[in-house]
Amino acid sequence: MSPRRNRPKTAGASSGPSAEDDRAGRYGGWQSTESWQGEDWSVRHVAGASAQGKTYRCPGCDQMIASGVPHVVAWAEHAGVDDRRHWHKACWNAKDRRTTRVQRSRNAPRF
């Protein structure tokens, strides 16, 4: 007996997800649009389970976002995929109250 097929067969269906298939549910969060500094930003909330095995540097505080920590991914509406930035939720919420220049120690790496 062959295994049960969980997806219906459709004509012209591709074998996997396409590059355009970037749903918010795929990452375990929800997506919204916010206005900041005169631009529209796409903001996606990422669940901790979706961030397992990955670390990012938050542009708000210049600290590492540890693996498995829920966070926010934000990018300008007109920008491409390469301009997405991963923020701590608190840093994204406090972005208007932060200074534009982050002070680093002399030995801190620049990412």
Side-chain angles (χ1 to χ4, degrees):
M1 181 189 292
S2 62
R4 181 177 156 207
R5 231 182 154 73
N6 289 331
R7 284 180 246 155
K9 273 190 178 179
T10 58
S14 64
S15 61
S18 66
E20 293 85 24
D21 186 21
D22 199 15
R23 298 180 306 265
R26 176 176 166 195
Y27 297 101
W30 52 274
Q31 184 170 334
S32 64
T33 303
E34 295 182 22
S35 182
W36 180 47
Q37 294 182 340
E39 291 184 80
D40 286 335
W41 289 72
S42 292
V43 180
R44 179 175 294 150
H45 295 261
V46 179
S50 299
Q52 282 292 66
K54 303 170 194 168
T55 58
Y56 303 100
R57 182 161 299 272
C58 175
C61 65
D62 200 39
Q63 300 296 313
M64 295 300 290
I65 300 173
S67 173
V69 173
H71 60 279
V72 172
V73 180
W75 64 98
E77 285 284 327
H78 63 83
V81 174
D82 293 336
D83 294 325
R84 291 184 296 189
R85 296 293 174 255
H86 296 254
W87 295 68
H88 292 107
K89 286 184 181 182
C91 294
W92 177 255
N93 292 336
K95 63 189 175 295
D96 293 327
R97 296 187 303 268
R98 292 190 178 274
T99 62
T100 58
R101 182 151 169 82
V102 175
Q103 296 292 324
R104 296 184 183 97
S105 68
R106 290 182 184 221
N107 300 335
R110 295 186 180 265
F111 290 96

